[in-house]
Amino acid sequence: MNTLSPVPDPRAHHLVPDYEGMHALVADLVLPGGASMYVMSALETSRELIRHSSYRYEFATAAVTHSLFALEHLLAERLAVTGPLQDLIEQAAGTGLLPADLAARLDRSRRLRDELIRGAVTSAEVRPAGAIEMVRAVFDAVSLLVRPLPPAAATSADTGAAPPEDGLARLWEEHLRAPYPDSFRGVDIDGVDLILLDADAAGHVHTELNGGLDDHGIGGLWVCIAKLDRIEPLINSEYCAAYFRKLRTMAHVAAARHIPTAS
């Protein structure tokens, strides 16, 4: 039986000789730590579109425009305003969130998206090599935007605060805000149904926060932790792996409450 295999796009032959060569070109597009699941998903998709542009040239332009979803979302969140992407970029540069040269690089991508919307250019507008540089600018911007607040702001916010505990409540709130990776619904890895594992682990943590786990619950939580330890390295999506890595951290914090301290 014949099977269909992707055919390299001849328009991309000048960049690398084959698909394997694309891996090195995007190797430095590393997802920024601390970004939300939405932002990580958009950036990872953009990177993979570039990787696969060796098979479909137009994927390069799509990669640039898709990366702007992450940028626009994060700028609106950090600036606490909504508006056109052009205004958000200008305001971020004006307030020092982004350096002027980086803002100019980002605006180039924004103009490309606007031209596509108007029909002034086609999806073949950007070469893969150019797309790499434009998407790299978005990765750089996101890395800056997800940095913690300056020490002065953090200090003022902490004034008069109660001494920190184990942080389980904070981790729980972060988990509630993080959307489950939709493309991994119904996915089974090494015999583990991911969405059921997510529900089980979160359920045990919720019980711990609302009255505490009994012996049976503690045992169930450790079963979840063992599964999380096993499947997290096997997930081939960075944003999904990050979701379950954070879930595992939260589960470990909950379980640690029931480990006797040395006297």
Side-chain angles (χ1 to χ4, degrees):
M1 181 178 65
N2 292 329
T3 58
L4 295 177
S5 299
V7 177
D9 194 316
R11 294 171 293 177
H13 77 278
H14 65 280
L15 188 62
V16 293
D18 51 33
Y19 175 70
E20 293 300 320
M22 296 298 294
H23 300 306
L25 292 179
V26 299
D28 65 337
L29 296 179
V30 180
L31 299 184
S36 69
M37 299 304 298
Y38 176 86
V39 170
M40 291 178 69
S41 176
L43 292 183
E44 185 174 15
T45 299
S46 300
R47 185 186 63 198
E48 295 310 303
L49 283 168
I50 294 175
R51 196 195 305 272
H52 287 84
S53 64
S54 63
Y55 292 126
R56 182 65 182 180
Y57 192 81
E58 285 80 0
F59 285 177
T61 299
V64 176
T65 57
H66 196 87
S67 71
L68 296 180
F69 294 146
L71 177 67
E72 190 165 9
H73 176 85
L74 192 51
L75 282 174
E77 183 179 81
R78 286 300 303 268
L79 294 168
V81 297
T82 57
L85 180 56
Q86 180 178 3
D87 293 349
L88 295 175
I89 293 173
E90 291 176 354
Q91 187 171 343
T95 57
L97 279 176
L98 296 175
D101 60 333
L102 179 55
R105 291 162 59 201
L106 297 170
D107 197 58
R108 179 188 170 203
S109 298
R110 190 273 310 168
R111 291 197 304 271
L112 169 67
R113 186 187 69 175
D114 290 351
E115 289 172 353
L116 278 167
I117 292 172
R118 295 197 309 271
V121 298
T122 71
S123 295
E125 179 68 13
V126 180
R127 294 184 175 186
I132 291 171
E133 294 308 312
M134 296 170 84
V135 171
R136 180 177 289 113
V138 176
F139 271 72
D140 291 345
V142 170
S143 295
L144 291 174
L145 292 169
V146 298
R147 291 184 304 182
L149 291 171
T155 300
S156 61
D158 290 340
T159 302
E165 297 181 358
D166 60 10
L168 184 60
R170 175 182 57 81
L171 293 171
W172 175 250
E173 291 300 321
E174 291 176 358
H175 178 75
L176 292 179
R177 290 195 300 270
Y180 184 87
D182 284 334
S183 59
F184 282 82
R185 294 185 185 278
V187 172
D188 180 295
I189 294 181
D190 197 23
V192 176
D193 186 307
L194 296 188
I195 200 163
L196 289 179
L197 176 59
D198 176 46
D200 286 346
H204 288 306
V205 172
H206 183 261
T207 300
E208 174 62 23
L209 287 168
N210 292 271
L213 290 164
D214 57 19
D215 289 345
H216 178 74
I218 296 168
L221 180 59
W222 279 110
V223 169
C224 290
I225 289 171
K227 291 179 179 179
L228 288 164
D229 289 343
R230 188 169 87 244
I231 62 96
E232 189 269 325
L234 303 177
I235 299 174
N236 63 358
S237 164
E238 288 186 53
Y239 78 91
C240 183
Y243 178 92
F244 279 92
R245 190 177 307 119
K246 292 176 180 178
L247 178 62
R248 183 178 61 179
T249 297
M250 182 174 66
H252 272 286
V253 171
R257 292 180 165 194
H258 298 276
I259 299 175
T261 57
S263 56

